[in-house]
Amino acid sequence: MAQPRYTRIDNRRPSSNYCSTVTVVVFVALCLVGIWMMTSSSVGPAQNVDEVSLDNKDGIKKQMTPPAEEGNGQKFEDASGDTPNEDKKGDGDASLPKEDESSSKQDNQEEKKEEKPKEESTPSGETIETEGGEDKKDDSKSENGGGGDSEEKKDLKDNPDEENPDTNEKQTKPETEDNESGEDGENQKQFESDNSEKKYSDDDKETKTGNEDTETKTEKENTETNVDVQVEQEGQPKNETSGDLSPPGAQLELLNETTAQNGSFSTQATESKNEKEAQKGSGDKLDYKWALCNTTAGPDYIPCLDNVQAIKSLPSTKHYEHRERHCPDSPPTCLVPLPEGYKRPIEWPKSREKIWYTNVPHTKLAEYKGHQNWVKVTGEYLTFPGGGTQFKHGALHYIDFIQESVPAIAWGKRSRVVLDVGCGVASFGGFLFDRDVITMSLAPKDEHEAQVQFALERGIPAISAVMGTTRLPFPGRVFDIVHCARCRVPWHIEGGKLLLELNRVLRPGGFFVWSATPVYQKKTEDVEIWKAMSELIKKMCWELVSINKDTINGVGVATYRKPTSNECYTSRSEPQPPICAESDDPNASWKVPLQACMHTAPEDKTQRGSQWPEQWPARLEKPPFWLSSSQTGVYGKAAPEDFSADYEHWNRVVTKSYLKGLGINWASVRNVMDMRAVYGGFAAALKEMKVWVMNVVPIDSPDTLAIIYERGLFGIYHDWCESFSTYPRSYDLLHADHLFSKLKQRCNLTAVIAEVDRVLRPEGKLIVRDDAETIQQVEAMVKAMKWEVRMTYSKEKEGLLSVQKSFWRPNEVETLTYAIG
């Protein structure tokens, strides 16, 4: 080691004693340095501690595993969940042993220097500089503001009136998982969101091999890291199992099932004969400018139900054609305005009893039906006394009365999935949640002002639909019960065409519960309807199980049961209604015209509908009995195995990532939509949450919707090149798993994202899992709408995006002439 020369200030030569003293001191110092260096080299390879270790929230240092060899590292799996770890291979990912906490903490304190910025190393050798609460990228060094600056999450339940509960959350905690061993690691460092964007990209990073695995990356190597790699965050959480640095909710699995095949399942588009020719759009521009939709419907605009131009040109409205879907040729790319004074919706379960008047500012229904306990105006709220036309004194009493009349109904056990036709404000479905039953409520838009919108704002499942000229968008034989309380549907006319549609969607052995006035009133019209209905139902071979009168509510209830065999059909004196042709597929329902015929019950005991599903909740987790190992599932395995793997996958993703790693306040989430459901695994994984999930099976995806119903969940077919049949601001959270990359091949992706904005509530969440290119496109679009990007993460060309919608609306206006009355 070269020694500095010392000279006296007065230029006099030092004495010999002084020189001797200096020589001895220098010699001793050199000896000590040599001993220290020999001791250090005997312990192990020299390492830059600042680069290899990270400070956790408590200031304790833990060693970070060097990057694993390529092939042994974690991969980014595809197709169903979050951003996953791949199966571990060999021992290349073994973590270094943990240091003793006390000694690590002491070392940490000794090594900190006020004047020297600290470096943190990413898996690729890239380092991150953090200063205060902001993060700055640097090629080689990182100045860390310290994990101790993290704020604790606000308790949202204690602050329900906070304007934005999710943006107040400062920390999210990721968890790791080992897909092969099942052992879960724990990330030691918490991630602070602080309302800033977080970008992670590992797409172009390559893990070094050989001796470089254990050596600190040089500044030159950091500079050569791909420029596309971006990391903007306040602190990198550490994956202690693999030594990887990961974003919140890291280990978010993207299953190998991404590349979905149809397997043994055909698509709804193939089954349905009248599918429209799909329109194509680019959706590939980078600079997006949004305008506000100017329509007659204003804040309540539903593109496919408010096409005034198409409705005016209809030759007839006798069969409610004006309430059916009439989508514009080019879907709108503008944004729907907010009602004046719109507020964050009241959380469930309080929302079942009251909602903000400003969110759904409609009073006609309260004026028209107020005396029947549908809805009332109470100050700044709209309140729902819990009744309806048929249960003025409470829905729960009415629900219990039905089961007392027919004990075999067994709410929440045998009967789990219900269709409520002509639902009103859906109080029946809202209170069936107390009996562990989910209800698909439907009613036409504007038949009674905003009835479906009231239901959705209350947190109750509902869609705008009508029984008109086409089949309902559900498979055949899926509902356990169909309910109609004074729904005023003319079931008996035109050969019973509408009632036969209920027969199509009702399970063999399922019940039809009818509590309309013809059941218990003796007016001339009611008597005639009852007589016609009785004759029709007898020909349909439905059995009248019970007819009783509820003395408290003053209504009568007739309950019918659909046959489980074909004996009655073959023994009828007249073949009316006729049996449908064998070529008629009962599952084909997307824009398929109604037919006045009946589908027979399945006779093969291995066929769906030949047996009743297992009781709830056992039916949720077990593969349906009719899924055969000879069938190929969506992801390429045998169908039952495919089903189970999907369920296990989503359980991991939801538990380890979505509930903890995305910074979502789940107390504010009630209405959820899975925009591309496969087996319903995402919805099943949320079973313990106080949410309901609308499972959407796109018409060009494998037709697995019947499986979703079989497990006690519900859903609907839809073409995402068109608008969904729901009011604006219906859902709190949308989940899109590898959907948008498929849609942009045949749809205008900009229009699809405009539809996402329409359906999602302000402050609602969107979780997107897709290829990195599509993630980038969607991110650019939502940023142009001023949405908050909570997290974006990409690896190996796959990515995850979590965003929150804002209250922002554009100033520019776009007039949709076809939607002006």
Side-chain angles (χ1 to χ4, degrees), residues 114-181:
E114 296 179 0
E115 300 170 357
K116 181 180 179 181
K118 179 160 49 175
E119 295 178 354
E120 292 183 357
S121 164
T122 67
S124 67
E126 183 182 16
T127 55
I128 309 138
E129 180 177 332
T130 62
E131 182 176 354
E134 299 180 5
D135 299 329
K136 300 179 181 178
K137 283 200 324 182
D138 192 306
D139 287 337
S140 60
K141 294 187 178 181
S142 170
E143 185 175 22
N144 193 343
D149 292 337
S150 300
E151 299 180 18
E152 294 185 1
K153 285 185 183 177
K154 292 185 179 181
D155 188 340
L156 296 164
K157 294 182 180 179
D158 294 338
N159 298 278
D161 297 327
E162 291 288 340
E163 183 174 345
N164 188 343
D166 294 282
T167 54
N168 289 332
E169 295 174 9
K170 299 297 182 183
Q171 299 177 355
T172 55
K173 184 176 182 180
E175 297 194 19
T176 64
E177 61 182 67
D178 185 326
N179 292 344
E180 183 169 331
S181 65

Side-chain angles (χ1 to χ4, degrees), residues 390 393 397-398 401 404 548-557:
Q390 298 301 96
H393 299 284
H397 168 77
Y398 172 79
F401 172 76
E404 289 170 6
N548 288 319
K549 187 169 184 177
D550 178 4
T551 56
I552 294 179
N553 284 309
V555 300
V557 180

Side-chain angles (χ1 to χ4, degrees), residues 264-273 471-479 501 504-507 580-592 595 599 607-609 626 697 699 703-707 709-710 716-717:
S264 300
F265 306 101
S266 61
T267 66
Q268 181 62 202
T270 301
E271 297 163 353
S272 302
K273 302 170 185 176
R471 290 179 176 178
L472 296 173
F474 314 119
R477 306 190 298 265
V478 290
F479 288 101
E501 173 62 2
R504 180 184 72 86
V505 299
L506 185 62
R507 291 186 187 280
C580 297
E582 290 186 7
S583 59
D584 191 306
D585 185 353
N587 297 313
S589 59
W590 185 250
K591 300 183 180 179
V592 174
Q595 291 178 281
H599 295 91
Q607 195 175 357
R608 179 173 66 86
W626 44 269
V697 173
I699 61 167
D703 187 0
T704 54
L705 189 52
I707 298 175
Y709 275 92
E710 194 79 1
I716 191 171
Y717 294 119

